């Protein structure tokens, strides 16, 4: 849905949009293009602190997107910022890998039960692509099972849409329905002896639809299917990783993948991704050639080490869950009081709100825009994210403004 420009946007924002249109195709691209979902959200942000961000016109927003997931401790968290500054003073992109890579890999292996080793990349697409490449190297097979509509990156082998993607790019993909084990078995049968990997998200978080938690029996069934066929089970934990469980999002289910793809929250906003895997895949990991000049840059690795060190103290994840619960209960009460029927789906740490019967997202878009005008930054149809920086007072301030947004929509 493309919306028109809003008079609520400030002069600095509008000026930047004009300049961007001249030098950046479309003014902005990908998920960061706010004009694809809103006429009231600012495109440009100049700073962040805790759970607040500030736009180019100096307007402050209570942040429920957390950089679209990477910020798990809060913007400019002191421990992470200190690690960044310290490492930057010694160097970032060096001729050899910094020792911090070894330190962070050791901490990841110590934290994640399914991990015997770790490799570092730059983003989520790198991580999932490396997992698939590694699975193919290990098995000597080509076919990969993915769920219909699941997002595993923006590169050709898995991209969901867009010009420039040709059928040959995805010729080795076979689709199944999320939480439908029978469909996964049918897909595996179709792939036959050429099945290299099963890729799965910890939950269904496709944009533009309500979120769906995984059925534990489905997760266990995929593990059994991979074992039976000799395929590699890949958990795409890019979006959920660390927010739901430090050991991996399926660790509470007792289901451990062969490979996991990580990014977003592992370095509290620094550009970093990782692949972790089991000893059985170590030789295959050594055999593939995947690389990038910035993949082992020291500053993001230092941020990752500081982030995981902070998370392992055990205080952040309960705070995030408590904040999400407080938000969910408050929004439910507000919607009822204003006569709206809503659904809130997904885990409380990664919430999504939708209006019943709002097929074209008109009501939720109006509500999200009304919230933005009142200083709450959230998305109408992509899941939100909570961070450890969201206090009770912050959630209460958010709820005061979302209540005003419900009022505004009810009057429109």
């Amino acid at each position: 849905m493309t919306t028109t420009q809003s008079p609520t946007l400030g002069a600095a924002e509008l000026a930047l949009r004009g300049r961007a249109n001249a030098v950046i195709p479309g003014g902005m691209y990908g998920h960061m293009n706010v004009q694809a979902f809103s006429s009231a959200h600012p495109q440009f942000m100049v700073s962040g602190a805790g759970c607040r961000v500030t736009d180019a016109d100096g307007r402050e927003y209570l942040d429920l997107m957390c950089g679209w997931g990477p910020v798990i401790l809060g913007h400019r968290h002191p421990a992470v910022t200190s690690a960044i500054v310290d490492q930057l003073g010694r160097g970032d992109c060096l001729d050899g890998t910094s020792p911090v890579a070894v330190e962070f890999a050791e901490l990841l292996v110590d934290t994640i039960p399914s991990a015997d080793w770790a490799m570092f990349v730059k983003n989520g697409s790198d991580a999932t692509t490396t997992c698939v490449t590694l699975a193919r190297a290990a098995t000597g097979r080509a076919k990969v099972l993915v769920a219909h509509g699941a997002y595993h990156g923006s590169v050709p082998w898995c991209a969901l849409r867009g010009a420039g993607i040709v059928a040959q790019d995805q010729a080795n993909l076979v689709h199944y329905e999320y939480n439908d084990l029978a469909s996964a078995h049918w897909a595996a049968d179709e792939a036959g002896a050429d099945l290299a990997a099963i890729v799965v998200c910890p939950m269904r978080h496709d944009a533009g639809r309500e979120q769906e938690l995984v059925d534990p029996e489905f997760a266990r069934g995929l593990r059994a299917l991979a074992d039976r066929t000799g395929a590699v089970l890949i958990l795409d934990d890019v979006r959920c990783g660390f927010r739901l469980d430090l050991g991996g999002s399926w660790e509470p289910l007792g289901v451990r993948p062969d490979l996991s793809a990580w990014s977003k929250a592992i370095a509290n906003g620094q550009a970093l991704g990782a692949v972790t895997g089991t000893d059985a895949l170590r030789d295959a990991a050594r055999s593939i050639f995947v690389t990038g000049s910035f993949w082992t840059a020291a500053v993001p690795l230092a941020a990752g080490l500081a982030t995981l060190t902070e998370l392992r103290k055990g205080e952040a994840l309960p705070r995030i869950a408590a904040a999400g619960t407080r938000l969910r209960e408050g929004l439910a009460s507000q919607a009822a009081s204003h006569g709206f029927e809503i659904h809130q789906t997904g885990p409380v740490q990664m919430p999504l709100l939708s209006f019943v019967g709002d097929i074209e997202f008109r009501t939720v878009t109006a509500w999200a825009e009304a919230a933005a005008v009142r200083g709450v930054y959230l998305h109408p149809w992509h899941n939100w994210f909570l961070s450890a920086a969201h206090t009770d007072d912050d959630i209460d301030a958010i709820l005061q403004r979302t209540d005003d947004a419900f009022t505004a929509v009810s009057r429109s």
Side-chain angles (χ1 to χ4, degrees):
M1 178 187 302
T2 302
T3 54
T4 57
Q5 215 164 60
S6 167
T8 64
L9 299 173
E13 169 75 21
L14 294 175
L16 280 166
R17 289 192 183 196
R19 291 166 58 191
N21 276 324
V23 293
I24 299 173
M28 196 50 60
Y29 45 87
H31 71 285
M32 284 292 185
N33 180 11
V34 300
Q35 295 180 77
F37 65 85
S38 176
S39 63
H41 286 66
Q43 179 70 77
F44 297 95
M45 297 288 184
V46 298
S47 65
C51 66
R52 289 170 166 76
V53 289
T54 301
D55 71 13
D57 288 283
R59 297 172 176 173
E60 186 179 83
Y61 300 80
L62 287 154
D63 183 12
L64 284 177
M65 292 306 293
C66 294
W68 296 71
V71 178
I72 190 170
L73 296 173
H75 297 280
R76 287 192 287 155
H77 185 274
V80 180
T81 300
S82 177
I84 290 170
V85 172
D86 179 65
Q87 184 60 53
L88 193 59
R90 288 179 282 123
D92 185 15
C93 190
L94 306 170
D95 292 343
T97 305
S98 167
V100 73
V102 179
E103 295 177 57
F104 191 25
E106 289 173 336
L107 194 62
L108 284 168
V109 168
D110 188 62
T111 303
I112 302 165
S114 64
D116 294 312
W117 51 263
M119 299 170 65
F120 297 109
V121 295
K122 213 70 208 148
N123 57 43
S125 293
D126 290 341
T128 56
T129 301
T130 298
C131 284
V132 168
T133 302
L134 203 162
R136 286 171 168 160
T139 62
R141 306 170 186 173
K143 300 294 184 183
V144 176
L145 270 55
V146 296
H148 280 290
Y151 180 79
H152 296 297
S154 60
V155 288
W157 77 266
C158 59
L160 294 176
R161 60 188 177 278
I165 308 300
V166 298
Q168 293 92 323
D169 291 326
Q170 300 183 359
N172 285 309
L173 295 186
V174 184
H175 292 88
Y176 63 90
E177 293 296 332
Y178 197 87
N179 270 339
D180 184 340
L181 190 56
S183 74
H185 280 276
W186 294 331
D189 289 344
E190 181 179 337
D194 202 25
L195 178 58
I198 303 169
V199 185
V200 63
C201 294
M203 65 178 193
R204 188 166 193 172
H205 47 52
D206 313 350
R209 58 162 292 149
E210 294 182 350
Q211 297 186 95
E212 184 179 339
L213 298 180
V214 69
D215 179 345
E217 292 306 311
F218 175 74
R220 297 184 187 107
L222 287 189
R223 176 69 274 175
L225 178 62
D227 292 339
R228 178 175 65 81
T229 59
V232 176
L233 181 61
I234 299 170
L235 186 65
D236 179 354
D237 227 347
V238 168
R239 193 180 301 190
C240 303
F242 285 178
R243 261 192 182 80
L244 305 187
D245 192 285
L246 292 187
S249 296
W250 277 4
E251 186 62 22
L253 304 179
V255 178
R256 293 180 179 173
D258 301 304
L259 295 173
S260 292
W262 307 81
S263 189
K264 287 200 184 287
I266 69 169
N268 200 51
Q270 290 292 299
L272 188 65
V275 172
T276 59
T278 64
D279 265 330
L281 293 168
R282 189 187 295 267
D283 287 344
R286 293 178 60 187
S287 75
I288 64 174
F289 184 78
V290 289
T291 192
S293 298
F294 307 105
W295 278 18
T296 56
V299 168
L301 287 165
L305 180 62
T307 299
L308 185 50
T309 299
E310 191 70 23
L311 290 171
R312 279 169 56 115
K313 293 178 181 178
E315 301 168 357
L317 295 194
R319 285 205 303 270
I320 294 171
T325 299
R326 191 180 188 92
L327 178 65
R328 179 162 293 186
E329 291 173 350
L331 290 171
S333 177
Q334 288 176 358
S337 70
H338 288 281
F340 290 107
E341 187 178 356
I342 64 168
H343 286 163
Q344 297 190 76
T345 56
V348 295
Q349 302 93 325
M350 297 170 55
L352 177 67
L353 180 148
S354 60
F355 288 76
V356 174
D358 187 26
I359 304 300
E360 296 183 351
F361 307 113
R362 295 182 186 276
T363 305
V364 73
T365 297
W367 179 79
E369 290 180 343
V373 169
R374 288 158 177 79
V376 176
Y377 197 94
L378 52 80
H379 195 283
W381 63 79
H382 186 290
N383 73 272
W384 319 334
F385 298 89
L386 274 293
S387 79
H390 286 93
T391 67
D392 286 351
D393 288 344
D394 294 320
I395 297 301
D396 290 345
I398 289 170
L399 289 170
Q400 182 179 23
R401 301 176 195 194
T402 56
D403 191 50
D404 290 342
F406 277 117
T407 299
V409 173
S410 66
R411 291 174 177 171
S412 64

